[in-house]
Amino acid sequence: MSIEDLNLKENWSSTPASLGYVAKKIGKDPENSERDTALDDADLFDIFSQWVHETRGINLWPHQEEAILAILSGDHTIVNTPTGSGKSLIALGMHFMALAHGKRSYYTAPIKALVSEKFFELVSVFGAKNVGMITGDSQINPHALIICCTAEILANQALREGEKADVSCVAVDEFHFYADPHRGWAWQVPLITLPQTQFVLMSATLGDMSGICQSLEESTDRSVSIISSVQRPVPLSYEYVVDDLHSVISKHIQKGDAPIYVVHFAQEAAVETAQNLANLGVASSSQREAIKKALEGTRFTSYFGKTLKRMLLTGVGVHHAGMLPRYRRLVENLAQEGLLPVICGTDTLGVGINVPIHTVIFTALTKYDGFKQRRLRSREFHQIAGRAGRSGFDSEGLVIALAPEHEIENAKAIAKANGDPKKLKKIHRKKAPEGFVNWGEPTFLKLIESEPEILTPHMQITHSMILNEVAQGGDAWKRIRELIKHSQVNEQQQEALKQRAAEIFQTLMDTKIVEKWELDDGSMDYSLTIDMPDDLALDQPLSPFLIAALELLDPQSDTYALDVISVVEATLENPYPVLRVQQRRARDKVMLAMKDEGIEYDERMERLQDVTYPKPLEDLLLPAFIQYRTDVPWAADYELNCKSVVRDMVETASSFTSYVTSLSIARSEGTLLRYLSDAYRALDRTVPDVKKNDQLRAIIDWLAVVVRTVDSSLVDEWEAAAGLAQLSENDSDLDVQMLNAQAAPPAVDEILAHKSGLITLVRNALFTRVQLIDLDEPEQLGQLDSAWGMPVHEWEDALDDFYEDHEGLLTNNEARSSKFFMLDDSQEKTHHRWRVRQILCDLEGDYDWAIDGVVDLDATLDDGEVSFESYDVNVVEDLPVWQAR
């Protein structure tokens, strides 16, 4: 077969996932060793180059050609090139070459979002049958020849399988995470334990790689090619500015230097700046009209969404990790269309986020790293600054650093004095605030000129790492010592790691989890006496404990469903923005009580340290977990975190929006939603069906409705990915349009498959109103119901009438029970509406008042909040007659 025989141009244009189609057509079939082609590596390079030209409309740059030729020659390849220099195409070339040879290739990234994004991209290029994804959340087509996964997934596989692992080559994205103190081990382990594997290490900020190169060459007996010193496709210029942010942005918008990304190191600061800039008028009238048109049909239903919409319409975007995913994607899409002159965000910009920008403005050159305020490191600076300049649009990118605020204020005062010696003498120069970490123009210049720091290794040894090694068989202790020896940490750290490893080995053998055998040749063999779960690297490693802990609960208890939720929540990662507010409120409540008791200040402060957020079942679960860790040693690497978020929402009958509002966490609503999504998956997938009663099933359905209606992308992406795993062989050439169709929101009737959850949503909304009636809060009730004819004054009249007849009402579990809630779903399918009634449980037991309404299901599902077509609060005899069904 020759290249001419392939009719490449015809295949490129007519075949979806064309690169995968051609790779399989010309390549070796791993299931048929007799099949081969006459095409050599030079032909493969030519084919890939033609594909790039025909489908992307570009030619490979010289450094891309050099990198792909190095990969073809079998070298490890380090791609240390600037942002925007086309590293993704190099990785694509690696996958193509491997697929054409019938070999298995991997792509790894630090975060699940990037893994998922790359998975769908590779499916569109190579076809669904050829690409799989493993992130901990999902295992889709895990035996495919191309695998997208997080770094930890590959690291654990490397420990379990070692040289036997079917891993031909790996493209490691964002390789600078190698130096991360907490996660760097996952980038280091495969380099040491997979000597048969070819690595392509990619980042824009690697620094001096000579040490890693030498180690790789020694451990794998394979040469290393370094692709670096590549001129930026778009060169950068730098400015240090002693002026306020508004003035700087106005000036550079007028000069045509937009889009501008304003970098902050706190989410709150980014939002505050965006709100201030929204009044500046950064967008032209034509841009505002284009934005308005682009936003047509977009739902801004959350509390923060309404704020975001107002800012976007002025041409100002916000981008940070606490936002809902759909809002972040919206900002990215608007930026890609060139509609947002200014985006305010955090330094998450530096982790592979696709936001095309011309100018980067640093509002500070220091950040709080979780322990202290410090100056930016060179790598951090270059990672962010490198985002400036759009390839194909800009001839130059611009990086600006603002002077500290006190320096700007002093400069303004000097300028106002206009050189007058008397006025200059009277100026009261502002000093840096207390605790300020000093920085200025010299700091900026030093960062510009400095190279990224040498990547410092941070190896660690854990129970799960050792158990993975033992599961591989053979002399696990020897391999662990080799791992430590080649980890490039200093001698003192190596000794500490060896001691830690020895302690873990001894514990495992003392508890009979690991057995040691001496073989006839004198070598040692270690084996497990228990089954090792394959999913130790999953995001919810305590799922086995969750299932075991359910046996401690009483299924006959009135709180059983809530207790199951608490067990699940204890195994999830902490949503810190929520917990911080819960703790602060708990402490405020206790502080008031102690003041009332007359407790002295010092004692109050001391007692307050013991007050934290609610932790249901902690006294039951913690002792059980301590015992569990004794029996299941890999659990010693994890902690149980009792908390109450989902349970709190259920107990307070909160909707997503009302919960966000009550805790004032609008800027972190994305964090809450991700937590609810994780809770839903654990409840739905991990809790056995036999452990679910009707109440729990209703809560699970309610969670599904909440997550889907607030931001369906989290559920849609999960379900779309699962759908791809089921594709038949004929679907292997799936194109991007079909991928998008997989992620389309389901129809109303399909969502009604979660009918019990939707009923819970409605009942919660009605009972929230019951609670507010009990508190006599017409203002809050009016805010909830003014859209359906019950503004504040109507509620005031209704409350006056109710309390004229009754002393009060109940809000206990009895009042919340189903016997006081009525539902007529006769028009559910024909008109997508329900008629509902919530009877008020007055203290006298008359039950003669009710909330009555017709629920618009379409609007409810769109908004994520209950929406009514008609609504009334009155004595039952004055409400429409309820037709019994």
Side-chain angles (χ1 to χ4, degrees), residues 178 428-429 436 442 499 503 613 619 711 751 797 833 841 869:
Y178 177 97
H428 180 66
R429 296 177 185 270
F436 179 76
Q499 183 176 346
E503 290 171 354
Y613 49 83
D619 291 342
D711 188 340
I751 292 182
D797 292 344
R833 63 168 61 128
C841 295
E869 289 183 3

Side-chain angles (χ1 to χ4, degrees), residues 425-549:
K425 192 174 181 180
K426 292 180 180 179
I427 292 175
H428 180 66
R429 296 177 185 270
K430 289 191 173 183
K431 296 182 179 180
E434 187 176 349
F436 179 76
V437 176
N438 189 48
W439 56 272
E441 188 169 13
T443 312
F444 185 49
L445 295 175
K446 184 177 180 180
L447 285 169
I448 294 169
E449 296 167 359
S450 63
E451 291 292 323
E453 299 84 1
I454 293 176
L455 295 173
T456 303
H458 294 278
M459 181 58 73
Q460 57 181 277
I461 299 295
T462 66
H463 286 77
S464 57
M465 288 175 69
I466 287 177
L467 286 163
N468 273 319
E469 277 285 7
V470 174
Q472 186 185 149
D475 195 341
W477 172 236
K478 179 181 178 181
R479 290 197 304 272
I480 283 290
R481 281 183 289 137
E482 286 295 310
L483 178 67
I484 295 171
K485 177 182 176 181
H486 292 98
S487 65
Q488 294 191 297
V489 299
N490 61 44
E491 290 186 11
Q492 183 178 356
Q493 290 171 311
Q494 286 192 29
E495 287 304 313
L497 289 172
K498 287 179 185 176
Q499 183 176 346
R500 172 64 173 157
E503 290 171 354
I504 294 174
F505 263 103
Q506 191 61 52
T507 300
L508 294 174
M509 288 189 289
D510 288 346
T511 55
K512 310 299 183 183
I513 300 293
V514 170
E515 292 183 343
K516 180 172 69 172
W517 308 88
E518 184 173 354
L519 303 181
D520 293 340
D521 60 2
S523 64
M524 306 305 297
D525 182 35
Y526 292 79
S527 61
L528 292 173
T529 62
I530 58 173
D531 291 331
M532 180 72 171
D534 293 332
D535 57 356
L536 265 182
L538 298 187
D539 287 348
Q540 308 305 342
L542 296 183
S543 293
F545 171 76
L546 187 166
I547 295 171

Side-chain angles (χ1 to χ4, degrees), residues 327-347:
Y327 290 156
R328 286 205 312 275
R329 275 195 290 272
L330 174 64
V331 171
E332 291 169 17
N333 291 338
L334 291 174
Q336 287 162 3
E337 293 172 20
L339 297 179
L340 295 179
V342 179
I343 303 169
C344 300
T346 58
D347 53 337

Side-chain angles (χ1 to χ4, degrees), residues 823-853:
L823 169 69
D824 177 0
D825 58 2
S826 59
Q827 294 185 320
E828 173 181 286
K829 294 183 178 179
T830 57
H831 295 81
H832 294 163
R833 63 168 61 128
W834 288 341
R835 185 181 170 197
V836 296
R837 177 172 291 180
Q838 176 69 51
I839 297 172
L840 305 184
C841 295
D842 55 86
L843 296 179
E844 295 79 9
D846 294 335
Y847 310 134
D848 56 351
W849 272 73
I851 303 172
D852 193 87

Side-chain angles (χ1 to χ4, degrees), residues 2 65 74 90 96 126 151 184 197 206 225 241 244 298 354 385 394 429 443 465 549 558 659 671 677 687 733 776 807:
S2 67
E65 292 184 349
I90 295 172
F96 171 69
F126 293 106
T197 300
L206 290 180
S225 293
V241 181
D244 65 86
T298 302
N354 185 21
D394 297 325
R429 296 177 185 270
T443 312
M465 288 175 69
D558 292 339
Y659 200 67
T671 302
S677 177
V687 176
D733 294 329
D776 197 10
E807 290 296 320

Side-chain angles (χ1 to χ4, degrees), residues 10 16 56 81 84 105 153 158 200 281 402 442 482 537 581 585 598 614 661 686 841 849 874:
E10 180 181 340
R56 305 290 174 94
T81 61
S105 62
I153 293 292
V200 179
L402 298 184
E482 286 295 310
V581 176
R585 293 192 173 183
T661 304
T686 307
C841 295
W849 272 73
N874 216 322

Side-chain angles (χ1 to χ4, degrees), residues 106-122:
Y106 279 64
Y107 165 88
T108 73
I111 58 177
K112 289 183 289 185
L114 288 179
V115 172
S116 179
E117 179 182 311
K118 182 63 67 171
F119 167 73
F120 284 102
E121 176 190 330
L122 293 180

